[in-house]
Structures are given as structure tokens and as C-alpha cells.
């Protein structure tokens, strides 16, 4: 989805109307929970994302609150109120609970600071709502609604910034990012999620303080990047990371795509091409699921598919630029980066496989592939075939409409052939025509290396010739066995 351009400021009156509608919807929960804390002598305020999103006309069932109550009091009150309780965030003053379909997290007023050499925040509890709001990341997240009573608290002008769709920090951005450097990544993430611009002084602080992001743990960086990439407008966030120098520290493969362009523009701007491929992959996500929701693996593969180009770029004597084997090199770089960011092995394998296979279709020509080649394409893609379809289609960014139409029709043909062969041969569960027990019986051998070699031979035979009946497979196996060199 392309980023919004020149958004119209929101009317303050309309913002307030939206909030009133959302608070009316939440009243059955807010009034009872607020009264519970008030009866115990404590304040409770709806805060952060739910307040911001109410102003944007978005509804929540997961709600965040801040309170004057210490965590042990919050826990006691929520035990009486909820159907279930959890305290994984106790070290940060947060207690969570569920009641029906509602999920709430209640956090004691607090402040966070970082030791310059620490990767984790030091939490100190506060005693005022204003102090709690002042330590939050952006003014649009530093608004609160008191419950019960619906008193609106906005000490830092968040409603004005939200109306003008701008991200600004409650205080000096240098102080905010000094306390928690991860907020620099959050600025990019919220830009990507909300389509907002980032205030110039915030961008300047991000640029000046980019190096400080290195004290943040890989896991926290990873989580912000995932949220950014899965947001509606990831180009906004990624561009901000590149322009401020943060990407060079957390995802250096992305700015490395800004290759020096030759004066005759004989090759594409790989960086801009990559962002376009990402947006086109997002447009194709309905092919992956019924709800068309964000698919991180598909999006990250689109972002990383050409990261091997800087390492493989060669300028030939005739001025031609080549990137031979950038698919294989890119897959290795992707694996290395995702490991550094502590992604799961399954995610690393899936994304790296897509990067390595993203050029395979271009050997299809105008449909010259044999059925054997189509089977191998399906076999190599495995459970990533649907995502490979998306990535390959998204990778066409040519402005030549005739060429684009030809590529689309050619890939339509490949998908049709895959579907036909799948119906005829069950390609999704491609196996040899004989199993291990049959192989041992026919060859008269026990379990061991020979059975594995025979199994691989039969699988290649299946890919080359399609399904065989048992007699034909038996005959081929015995012929292979007879010709096999003795060891």
C-alpha cells in the first residue's frame, strides 16, 4: 500500500466525537473497573494506544491503563475483576487480566531510564499521571482518559499533533531517546503504522543519536522491525531508518542497496526497486490468506530479495552491469542478518529459501520448461510455493507495460501448469513410487545407506517422468541397482 500523501488535518471536533463514541462503547468495562480502583483509593486512566486510536476511529479489545496503585494492589483488584490474570510484566509494574473478550494491562505510574551501558530499562515508579505521561514516547501516546468520569488529560498537546498527523516527543527528543533508544525505531514504526510524518527535531535527534541504538538487545530491535514491516505503510518507516542512519546499524543490507548509479542509468535503482517490490507484495497478500492480513515472511523476503546485488555487482567493458548469483549470495546474507536479529529457525529458513529461489522463474522463458522442470520448481519451493508466487510476481517493476503484461501472462501459464500437474500427480506430497520397505524387499537389503541412495534415485525418476506404476518403478530400480558401481 503506497504511503498517504499530504494528509488533510483532522478536525478537533471530529476527533472528540470519535472519542466519545468509543468511550460509550467501552463504558460497561471502564466504569466498573474504574470504580473498583476508586473504591480502593487509587486513580485509573485509559492511556496510550487505545486513546490515540479512539481518536482515529479505531476500536480496541486490548486496553492499556496506568494507575497510582502499586503492582500488588493492582493484582489484588484484578483478581476480583477478571476471569484470568497474568503477571509476566511485574518487573515493569504491569499486571494483566482477561474478562470475557476484553484484555487489559494495568501499569503503575512509572519512569524509565537507561544506564549508558545497559540494554534494559531501569524502572522507577512515579506518583503522578503527568509524570507518567511525560516519560512516554510520543505526544499522541501521552494522552489519558480518567475512569470513571472520563476526564481527558493531554498535558503535551497530543490531540493537536494527532489532528495534524505528526509524531513529536513530549519533551526534548534527545532526552527521550537518551532514556530509551528504542524509541527511535518506534518513531519509524509509528510512521509506518499511522502514515504520520515525523517532526523535524525528532528526525534530527534520531540522526545525531543513531549509534545509541546499539545498546538495545537484538530481540527488541527485531520486534520493532517486524511491527514496522507488517504496518500499512512500511516504506515510510524504512525510508526514515535509512535517512537517519539507523538502518545502517540494525538492517545494513537495506541502505547498501543504494548502489552508485552510472550516468547512463543502465541498471535500476535497486533500493527504490526493492521498496516497490515490497509494496507490490503487500498488494498480493490476499493470495496468501482469506483475510489478506500482513504476512511477515512474504514482506521480509521482498525486502531482502536483492541484498546480494552489492556483493555481486560487476561492470563489464561494454557498460553492462551484472549481478550473477546474487540470489545465492542474498540468501546467505539474509540468513546471517536474521540470525543476528534472533529470528526463529523456521522464519530464517522460509525467508532465505524465497530469496534464493526468486530468480528461478526467469528460466521459464515463454513456457519452455518440461514437466520435470515444473515438478522441481514445486519440489524446491515446498511449503513456500504460494509465497514464491507472490514474490516472483511482485519482482516485476518494469515501466514497459508490454513487458509487464508478457511476464504476468507467462507466470499465469506456469501457475496453471503447476495446478494441472498437482491435480494429476499430487505434487504437494511428492514422493517416490516405492517406499523404503518396498525398496528393501526388492533389493534384498536391510536399512542403511543403500536404501537412502535408492530412495533419492526414485525421487529423481519421479520428478523426470512423473508417476509410474509399481512394476515400472520396480524395473527401473533393479536396472539402477545393476548398473550401480560396487563399493
Amino acid at each position: 500500500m503506497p504511503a498517504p500523501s499530504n494528509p488533510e488535518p483532522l478536525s478537533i471536533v471530529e476527533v472528540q466525537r470519535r472519542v466519545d463514541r468509543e468511550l460509550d462503547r467501552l463504558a460497561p468495562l471502564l466504569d466498573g473497573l474504574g470504580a473498583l480502583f476508586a473504591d480502593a483509593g487509587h486513580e485509573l486512566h485509559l492511556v496510550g494506544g487505545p486513546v490515540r486510536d479512539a481518536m482515529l476511529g479505531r476500536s480496541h479489545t486490548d486496553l492499556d491503563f496506568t494507575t497510582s496503585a502499586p503492582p500488588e494492589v493492582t493484582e489484588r483488584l484484578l483478581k476480583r475483576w477478571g476471569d484470568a490474570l497474568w503477571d509476566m510484566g511485574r518487573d515493569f509494574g504491569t499486571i494483566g487480566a482477561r474478562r470475557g473478550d476484553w484484555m487489559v494491562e494495568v501499569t503503575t505510574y512509572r519512569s524509565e531510564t537507561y544506564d549508558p551501558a545497559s540494554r534494559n530499562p531501569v524502572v522507577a515508579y512515579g506518583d503522578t499521571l503527568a509524570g507518567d505521561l511525560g516519560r512516554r514516547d510520543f505526544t499522541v501516546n501521552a494522552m489519558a482518559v480518567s475512569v470513571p468520569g472520563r476526564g481527558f488529560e493531554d498535558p503535551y498537546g497530543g490531540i493537536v499533533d494527532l489532528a495534524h498527523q505528526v509524531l513529536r516527543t513530549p519533551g526534548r527528543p534527545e532526552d527521550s531517546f537518551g532514556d530509551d533508544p528504542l524509541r527511535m525505531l518506534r518513531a519509524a514504526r509509528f510512521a509506518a503504522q499511522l502514515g504520520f510524518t515525523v517532526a523535524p527535531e525528532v528526525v534530527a535527534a534520531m540522526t545525531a543519536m543513531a549509534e545509541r541504538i546499539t545498546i538495545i538487545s537484538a530481540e527488541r530491535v527485531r520486534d520493532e522491525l517486524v511491527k514496522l514491516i507488517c504496518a500499512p505503510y512500511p516504506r515510510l518507516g524504512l525510508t526514515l531508518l535509512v535517512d537517519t542512519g539507523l538502518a545502517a546499524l540494525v538492517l545494513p543490507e537495506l541502505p547498501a542497496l543504494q548502489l552508485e548509479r552510472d550516468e547512463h542509468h543502465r541498471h535500476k535503482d535497486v533500493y527504490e526497486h526493492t521498496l516497490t517490490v515490497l509494496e507490490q507484495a503487500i498488494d498480493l497478500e490476499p493470495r496468501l490468506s482469506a483475510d489478506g492480513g500482513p504476512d511477515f515472511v512474504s514482506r521480509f523476503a521482498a525486502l531482502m530479495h536483492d541484498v546480494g546485488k552489492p556483493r555481486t555487482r560487476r561492470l563489464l567493458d561494454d557498460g553492462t552491469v551484472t549481478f550473477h548469483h546474487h540470489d545465492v549470495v542474498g540468501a546467505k546474507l539474509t540468513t546471517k542478518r536474521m540470525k543476528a536479529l534472533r529470528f526463529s529457525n523456521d522464519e530464517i529458513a522460509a525467508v532465505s529459501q524465497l530469496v534464493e529461489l526468486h530468480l528461478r522463474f526467469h528460466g521459464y522463458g515463454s513456457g519452455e520448461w518440461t514437466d520435470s522442470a515444473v515438478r522441481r520448481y514445486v519440489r524446491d519451493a515446498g511449503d513456500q510455493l504460494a509465497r514464491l508466487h507472490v514474490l516472483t510476481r511482485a519482482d516485476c517493476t518494469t515501466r514497459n507495460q508490454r513487458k509487464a503484461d508478457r511476464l504476468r501472462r507467462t507466470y499465469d501459464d506456469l501457475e496453471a501448469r503447476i495446478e494441472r500437474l498437482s491435480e494429476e500427480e499430487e505434487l504437494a506430497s511428492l514422493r517416490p513410487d516405492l517406499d523404503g520397505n518396498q525398496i528393501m524387499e526388492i533389493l534384498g537389503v536391510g536399512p542403511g545407506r543403500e536404501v537412502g541412495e535408492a530412495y533419492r534415485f526414485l525421487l529423481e525418476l519421479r520428478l523426470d517422468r512423473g508417476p509410474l506404476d509399481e512394476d515400472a518403478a520396480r524395473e527401473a530400480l533393479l536396472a539402477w541397482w545393476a548398473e550401480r558401481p560396487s563399493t
Side-chain angles (χ1 to χ4, degrees):
M1 180 184 295
S5 58
N6 300 319
E8 290 293 326
L10 300 174
S11 159
I12 299 293
V13 173
E14 174 58 25
V15 167
Q16 292 172 333
R17 189 177 296 124
R18 290 174 178 178
V19 172
D20 288 340
R21 283 198 299 264
E22 180 65 0
L23 292 178
D24 287 341
R25 186 183 74 89
L26 298 175
L29 178 138
L30 298 181
D31 294 345
L33 189 57
L36 187 66
F37 277 77
D39 290 346
H42 290 286
E43 299 174 358
L44 184 70
H45 310 272
L46 183 68
V47 72
V51 178
R52 178 199 69 223
D53 286 350
M55 295 178 176
L56 295 171
R58 303 171 182 174
S59 296
H60 277 259
T61 55
D62 295 357
L63 303 176
D64 295 324
F65 296 85
T66 188
T67 182
S68 60
E72 61 272 15
V73 173
T74 297
E75 182 176 25
R76 186 175 71 248
L77 295 175
L78 290 181
K79 275 184 179 178
R80 292 164 48 192
W81 176 85
D83 302 324
L85 187 104
W86 58 92
D87 66 351
M88 289 86 75
R90 177 181 290 277
D91 290 344
F92 298 96
T94 301
I95 305 295
R98 176 182 59 80
R99 181 169 178 166
D101 293 332
W102 298 98
M103 309 284 279
V104 305
E105 289 194 342
V106 182
T107 303
T108 302
Y109 295 157
R110 69 187 189 190
S111 61
E112 286 179 357
T113 58
Y114 266 80
D115 181 275
S118 173
R119 288 173 174 245
N120 297 305
V122 178
V123 177
Y125 296 137
D127 53 14
T128 67
L129 174 63
D132 182 89
L133 295 178
R135 56 150 291 276
R136 293 180 180 267
D137 48 14
F138 302 102
T139 60
V140 297
N141 295 329
M143 298 178 284
V145 176
S146 303
V147 292
R150 299 192 182 184
F152 180 61
E153 302 288 342
D154 181 21
Y156 301 101
I159 191 170
V160 174
D161 286 341
L162 184 138
H164 288 88
Q165 303 184 22
V166 63
L167 291 171
R168 199 184 311 277
T169 54
R172 295 176 66 249
E174 293 83 2
D175 294 337
S176 180
F177 299 153
D179 283 345
D180 186 353
L182 191 67
R183 290 172 179 167
M184 294 186 288
L185 294 189
R186 285 190 191 136
R189 189 245 292 183
F190 282 121
Q193 286 181 333
L194 302 173
F196 285 11
T197 58
V198 181
E201 69 273 14
V202 175
V203 175
M206 292 169 65
T207 304
M209 302 179 68
E211 187 71 29
R212 188 151 168 76
I213 197 65
T214 58
I215 76 166
I216 301 298
S217 68
E219 290 83 359
R220 297 183 76 207
V221 170
R222 174 201 64 208
D223 291 347
E224 286 298 322
L225 287 176
V226 170
K227 291 173 184 176
L228 187 163
I229 290 165
C230 290
Y233 313 110
R235 178 190 281 263
L236 282 179
L238 293 168
T239 300
L240 182 61
L241 292 182
V242 171
D243 291 347
T244 57
L246 281 159
L249 299 165
V250 300
L251 193 64
E253 293 78 11
L254 182 59
L257 294 174
Q258 295 177 306
L259 301 172
E260 181 181 351
R261 296 182 65 178
D262 63 277
E263 60 179 336
H264 300 294
H265 302 287
R266 291 192 180 94
H267 66 277
K268 293 180 182 178
D269 183 327
V270 182
Y271 171 70
E272 284 297 324
H273 163 76
T274 294
L275 295 179
T276 300
V277 172
L278 171 59
E279 291 174 332
Q280 293 185 166
I282 293 172
D283 290 339
L284 292 169
E285 280 179 335
R287 295 171 61 102
L288 300 177
S289 65
D291 64 5
D295 182 79
F296 171 75
V297 168
S298 176
R299 293 186 183 200
F300 201 57
L303 190 64
M304 301 294 284
H305 79 284
D306 273 349
V307 297
K309 281 190 171 180
R311 293 276 187 93
T312 58
R313 181 176 183 265
R314 299 290 182 273
L315 183 62
L316 304 184
D317 292 340
D318 63 359
T320 303
V321 177
T322 66
F323 303 99
H324 293 313
H325 307 300
H326 78 266
D327 46 348
V328 176
V329 172
K332 293 178 180 178
L333 291 173
T334 298
T335 296
K336 182 178 179 180
R337 177 56 47 201
M338 293 186 75
K339 284 183 176 179
L341 289 169
R342 306 291 194 270
F343 280 96
S344 71
N345 289 337
D346 287 346
E347 288 171 312
I348 294 171
V351 175
S352 299
Q353 180 182 13
L354 290 167
V355 172
E356 185 167 0
L357 293 176
H358 82 272
L359 289 180
R360 183 73 65 85
F361 159 72
H362 294 285
Y364 189 69
S366 300
E368 294 88 353
W369 276 4
T370 62
D371 283 353
S372 171
V374 174
R375 293 186 194 104
R376 282 181 164 79
Y377 188 79
V378 174
R379 188 270 309 270
D380 292 346
D383 60 3
Q384 299 305 313
L385 182 63
R387 287 176 170 137
L388 183 58
H389 290 334
V390 165
L391 177 58
T392 304
R393 289 180 179 276
D395 196 23
C396 175
T397 61
T398 179
R399 296 180 181 178
N400 184 324
Q401 192 58 48
R402 181 177 298 179
K403 181 179 179 182
D405 290 342
R406 176 175 56 79
L407 287 169
R408 176 181 51 76
R409 288 193 301 269
T410 304
Y411 206 84
D412 287 344
D413 176 69
L414 175 58
E415 284 201 61
R417 288 184 64 188
I418 290 172
E419 184 175 358
R420 175 179 59 79
L421 285 172
S422 295
E423 291 174 355
E424 294 173 357
E425 304 179 13
E426 298 181 355
L427 291 185
S429 56
L430 198 63
R431 295 181 179 85
D433 297 295
L434 302 172
D435 62 25
N437 290 328
Q438 290 171 303
I439 290 171
M440 288 187 288
E441 180 181 350
I442 292 169
L443 299 182
V445 298
R449 178 173 53 84
E450 292 92 347
V451 178
E453 293 176 359
Y455 188 93
R456 288 189 290 274
F457 161 74
L458 289 171
L459 181 58
E460 290 297 315
L461 187 67
R462 170 78 169 77
L463 289 166
D464 285 336
R465 295 171 54 182
L468 302 175
D469 60 35
E470 185 174 343
D471 289 342
R474 177 190 181 91
E475 180 180 344
L477 175 62
L478 289 171
W480 169 82
W481 185 254
E483 295 174 0
R484 178 173 170 272
S486 57
T487 57

